[in-house]
């Protein structure tokens, strides 16, 4: 069986097509790795690449992309709506097939070490690779952003996991880590009252007492004039999609509000949705690995 | 993109392990084809093989298995609970990836022609390959079974699609056709009253006015003392799983009966379950081909 790891590096460039083309070409040039997708956001001035490959190939690709980004992207000149601290801002490694999170943690450390040794870019290990609890959360690690990093790295608690207490002058600092596949999942409400979506999001997200593996915000969809609970499901096995949908329904009821639809943004592992089918169809004793036809076709 | 076709030949042998081993070895020996699974039923005296491969490989494998079965299985000596008319009783071809049903129809005709030309086994085209409506249904085609076929082939309406009006003396007649993937799906009720399961099955199945692509029977699970609606979902896109589950729930209500669980038997395409998740989670605008991660990994 072929081991497959997904890697979703985020680069602080979303406007210069030449740089993006060069990064895409770099990704495609690594043996054993497939570039599935890449997309950019102009206002964020940021791009997300999605690669998949065997463990050695994916580690090589992550390094080479980071190397090229450090040559092409100058954070001292970067503006954009999205928080960022590095030319390669964050490199998550995600198990896809016959690979454990622990193996992805090992890959993240190998890449972090090499990025320091060969490129002089320091890094923080985050999510499941974190060396202490307060480094699990990317937002906490990135707080201060590129401009605040020189001072932050000198603080007692914020020595980088790899590298010296000194940012790379133009490429900054990178966060590297293993995590479960993330499903971006939104629930739309039949209200335009943002306060209701915010109140519901608060009851759902782990950080304020809700479901551990769910991050949630209330947002307003201005074009449709409806409020939305916008979520990142950071571990869909620990906190399944159906559970947050059902919980949002009963929280919404107190406001006389209903769920009118949901959205999956971007890619999702099949299992995140099949788990929901198992729940709602009440399937007994389903064996995902053996009973789903496609699982026999992936090498 | 690699085209993938599934082939699920049924052989009239479920007891002689030597014959089954020989068939399995034959399947494994064809380039471009993978034997996913095979299982036998002693009381049926019948085995089901599941192969997947590219169109040319799968056609070659189907022929070679049929050839070996005609050498190893003698229907004049066959007894078993399951209806049958041939050593290779039925050969369905099923689109899995980047293949249409029409392409599978073409494969079925190629194989049927070769089986007549090289093995002198006549065949009927059934399901989506059928040359007239009454040949779509396998049960209709097979009626009379092996023992009745010599006489049936001489009837005005029952000339085989390929071959002469004469059965192969020991290998009989084979049904060959293309069909959508079939999902064997059962719904368990909180009653031991078989009559209720039968009455519900009648409202659900296409043949008695229910959902077109659903075949349904009422059965009793003796070990659990509960009644079950046992179904073959022969086109899960035309008749989705969630629709029969919800319909069974409302039909059951008139008897004060509830659905206590369901079962998926054997393999299912991921999409059959993901369609259910889309319905129950109310996902808007989901693009199965693009948004499911695994679909980008299948070559």
């Amino acid at each position: 069986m072929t081991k497959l790891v997904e890697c979703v590096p985020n680069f602080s460039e979303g406007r210069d097509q030449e740089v993006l083309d060069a990064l895409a070409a770099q990704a495609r040039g690594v043996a054993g790795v497939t570039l599935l997708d890449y997309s950019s956001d102009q206002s964020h001035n940021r791009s997300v690449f999605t690669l998949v490959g065997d463990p050695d190939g994916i580690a090589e690709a992550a390094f080479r992309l980071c190397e090229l980004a450090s040559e092409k992207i100058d954070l001292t000149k970067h503006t954009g709506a999205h928080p960022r601290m590095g030319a390669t801002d964050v490199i998550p490694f995600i198990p896809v097939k016959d690979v454990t999170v622990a193996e992805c943690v090992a890959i993240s450390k190998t890449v972090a070490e090499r990025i320091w040794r060969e490129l002089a870019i320091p890094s923080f290990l985050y999510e499941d690779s974190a060396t202490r609890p307060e480094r699990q959360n990317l937002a906490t690690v990135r707080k201060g952003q590129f401009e605040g990093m020189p001072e932050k790295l000198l603080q007692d608690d914020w020595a980088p996991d790899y590298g010296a207490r000194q940012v790379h002058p133009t490429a900054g600092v990178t966060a590297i880590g293993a995590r479960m596949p993330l499903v971006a999942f939104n629930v739309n409400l039949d209200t335009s009252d943002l306060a209701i979506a915010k109140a519901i999001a608060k009851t759902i997200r782990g950080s304020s007492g809700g479901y551990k593996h769910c991050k949630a915000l209330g947002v307003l969809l201005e074009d449709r004039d409806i409020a939305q609970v916008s979520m990142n499901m950071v571990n869909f096995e620990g906190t399944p999609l159906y559970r947050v949908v059902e919980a949002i329904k009963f929280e919404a009821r107190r406001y006389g509000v209903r769920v009118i639809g949901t959205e999956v943004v971007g890619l999702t592992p099949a299992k995140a949705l099949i788990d929901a089918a198992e729940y709602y169809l009440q399937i007994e004793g389903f064996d995902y690995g053996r009973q789903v036809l496609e699982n026999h076709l992936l090498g």
Side-chain angles (χ1 to χ4, degrees), chain A residues 38 40 81 94 119 138 157 164 169 184 197 200 202 212 242 249 285 299:
Chain A
Y38 64 105
S40 303
I94 303 137
L119 307 177
L138 179 62
D157 290 344
I200 294 173
K202 192 175 171 187
K212 180 170 178 184
Y242 78 81
K249 284 181 186 169

Side-chain angles (χ1 to χ4, degrees), chain A residues 123-168:
Chain A
S123 62
F124 290 111
L125 298 174
Y126 83 117
E127 286 280 358
D128 293 342
S129 299
T131 52
R132 51 186 95 167
E134 68 273 21
R135 295 191 179 187
Q136 283 175 13
N137 191 305
L138 179 62
T140 311
V141 169
R142 195 164 52 198
K143 198 171 179 188
Q145 299 195 50
F146 176 69
E147 291 74 10
M149 279 298 141
E151 189 274 325
K152 182 171 181 171
L153 295 196
L154 298 173
Q155 293 173 19
D156 284 354
D157 290 344
W158 288 102
D161 288 297
Y162 287 87
R165 287 175 178 259
Q166 198 172 354
V167 298
H168 184 286

Side-chain angles (χ1 to χ4, degrees), chain A residues 183-187 204 214-216 229-233 244 248:
Chain A
V183 182
F185 183 58
N186 302 326
V187 173
I204 297 298
C214 173
K215 299 180 178 183
V229 181
S230 177
M231 293 175 283
N232 276 332
M233 305 296 294
V244 301
I248 288 171

Side-chain angles (χ1 to χ4, degrees), chain A residues 96-122:
Chain A
V96 170
K97 182 163 177 291
D98 294 319
V99 168
T100 62
V101 171
E103 287 172 88
C104 291
V105 169
I107 294 168
S108 71
K109 291 180 177 174
T110 305
V111 172
E113 190 277 329
R114 189 172 173 199
I115 282 173
W116 169 246
R117 181 164 40 85
E118 299 192 28
L119 307 177
I121 301 171

Side-chain angles (χ1 to χ4, degrees), chain A residues 21 55 72 82 126 129 166 169 205 239 248 256 290 299:
Chain A
D21 289 345
K72 300 277 187 187
H82 198 288
Y126 83 117
S129 299
Q166 198 172 354
R205 66 177 170 247
T239 301
I248 288 171
R290 283 183 50 83

